[in-house]
Amino acid sequence: MKNVNYEVHPKENIYFSICLVISLIVYALIGFAIVGSMSSRTGGAEFFVIFFYAGMILLYLFVSLGLLVGYIKGNAIKLTKNQFPEAYAILEKQSEQLGLNIIPSAYILQSGGVLNAFATKFVGRNYVVIYSEIFELAYEQGQDALEFVIGHELGHIKRNHITKSLYLIPSAIIPLLRPAYSRACEYTCDNIGKALNSNGAKDGLLILAAGKGLYKKVNVDDYINVESQDNSFWKWFSEKVSSHPNLPKRVERMK
């Protein structure tokens, strides 16, 4: 099967480089602090404090991810060749197209009407979770939108966004930088989803805005124009602190 070609959003690499430099500086400062504390009169007390709090943070992240994955495994439905085989075939095909050596574990999760999907990673294993409201579209309206959604989430795995975000945690000391990097990653994954199924790109995003019942009735041009004409501060600022771009912008790029 031929591998898919996609465009990496140019700002993703730019913001990643900035985040990486800042993170390396922070790691270096921590290293100097540890070395300095070990040679001080306090006999390494500062060294112990630094490692204690760093360990507590890492333990918190590990337990939080473990609980999330445990909840998913205990309550969601895993896609297999025998469980929703059509969707599993999409997952298998797109994983091959993206050159993923191991097919991620994918689950359907009932979310009380929330329309979303996400990817995560725990102990070296990748997971994709698709909320049931979106998944239903594959059986009601055709699978184009579902292919885009799955492709978008596989894009995060292909680009190794989850692991990179963990390494770049120290860069969060710079306000608005990490959200900017995250938004660029979302644009890249939209490109990947579109490359895997261009027919489902626009609809896959409109579903997030209007729901699976109304998305086909949305006047796309008006939706985009209204957003572009609204230059209020709070709309602008809410996007700057968000991990995702405003939906009309994403729809316009896919359109």
Side-chain angles (χ1 to χ4, degrees):
M1 185 178 293
K2 185 178 179 181
N3 290 345
V4 67
N5 294 317
Y6 59 87
E7 178 188 357
V8 176
H9 193 275
K11 288 186 178 181
E12 178 184 333
N13 290 329
I14 294 172
Y15 286 134
F16 173 77
S17 298
I18 297 172
C19 289
L20 181 61
V21 169
I22 293 171
S23 296
L24 290 175
I25 292 173
V26 174
Y27 287 133
L29 292 174
I30 293 173
F32 287 136
I34 292 173
V35 172
S37 68
M38 293 178 67
S39 60
S40 68
R41 294 181 180 180
T42 59
E46 295 92 342
F47 171 81
F48 173 79
V49 171
I50 292 172
F51 260 76
F52 174 79
Y53 282 107
M56 292 299 291
I57 292 172
L58 291 175
L59 179 62
Y60 172 79
L61 292 173
F62 180 81
V63 172
S64 297
L65 282 173
L67 289 173
L68 173 63
V69 171
Y71 177 82
I72 292 168
K73 289 183 175 181
N75 295 277
I77 300 173
K78 185 176 182 180
L79 299 184
T80 68
K81 291 182 178 180
N82 299 315
Q83 189 75 268
F84 299 107
E86 302 89 349
Y88 184 81
I90 296 172
L91 179 73
E92 196 173 35
K93 177 189 70 174
Q94 292 186 344
S95 295
E96 183 178 351
Q97 288 178 298
L98 291 174
L100 301 180
N101 295 325
I102 300 176
I103 299 174
S105 297
Y107 292 84
I108 306 167
L109 182 64
Q110 209 295 115
S111 57
V114 176
L115 293 160
N116 209 343
F118 65 91
T120 189
K121 187 173 185 176
F122 184 68
V123 195
R125 182 69 183 176
N126 291 304
Y127 298 87
V128 171
V129 178
I130 309 161
Y131 288 176
S132 57
E133 291 289 308
I134 289 181
F135 191 82
E136 288 178 13
L137 287 170
Y139 295 91
E140 294 178 0
Q141 306 291 345
Q143 64 186 32
D144 286 338
L146 180 65
E147 286 199 19
F148 170 78
V149 171
I150 294 177
H152 176 102
E153 300 308 329
L154 289 179
H156 285 299
I157 295 171
K158 173 64 177 179
R159 295 292 299 164
N160 206 22
H161 288 155
I162 303 162
T163 301
K164 287 178 180 177
S165 293
L166 293 175
Y167 294 154
L168 301 177
I169 286 176
S171 64
I173 63 173
I174 305 298
L176 306 184
L177 178 59
R178 284 295 300 280
Y181 170 64
S182 178
R183 290 195 301 275
C185 291
E186 293 299 325
Y187 279 135
T188 294
C189 290
D190 282 348
N191 292 340
I192 293 174
K194 184 177 181 179
L196 290 166
N197 190 314
S198 59
N199 293 328
K202 175 173 64 67
D203 287 347
L205 291 172
L206 284 176
I207 291 165
L208 301 179
K212 65 186 184 74
L214 295 175
Y215 77 97
K216 285 191 173 183
K217 299 182 181 295
V218 174
N219 183 321
V220 178
D221 291 331
D222 187 67
Y223 180 56
I224 294 171
N225 290 336
V226 168
E227 193 279 338
S228 64
Q229 293 171 8
D230 185 350
N231 298 315
S232 65
F233 168 79
W234 289 110
K235 182 177 79 74
W236 171 85
F237 187 66
S238 69
E239 182 182 34
K240 295 305 177 185
V241 299
S242 174
S243 60
H244 288 61
N246 287 342
L247 271 171
K249 292 183 178 180
R250 297 171 66 187
V251 172
E252 183 176 20
R253 293 181 74 253
M254 294 299 97
K255 177 174 179 290

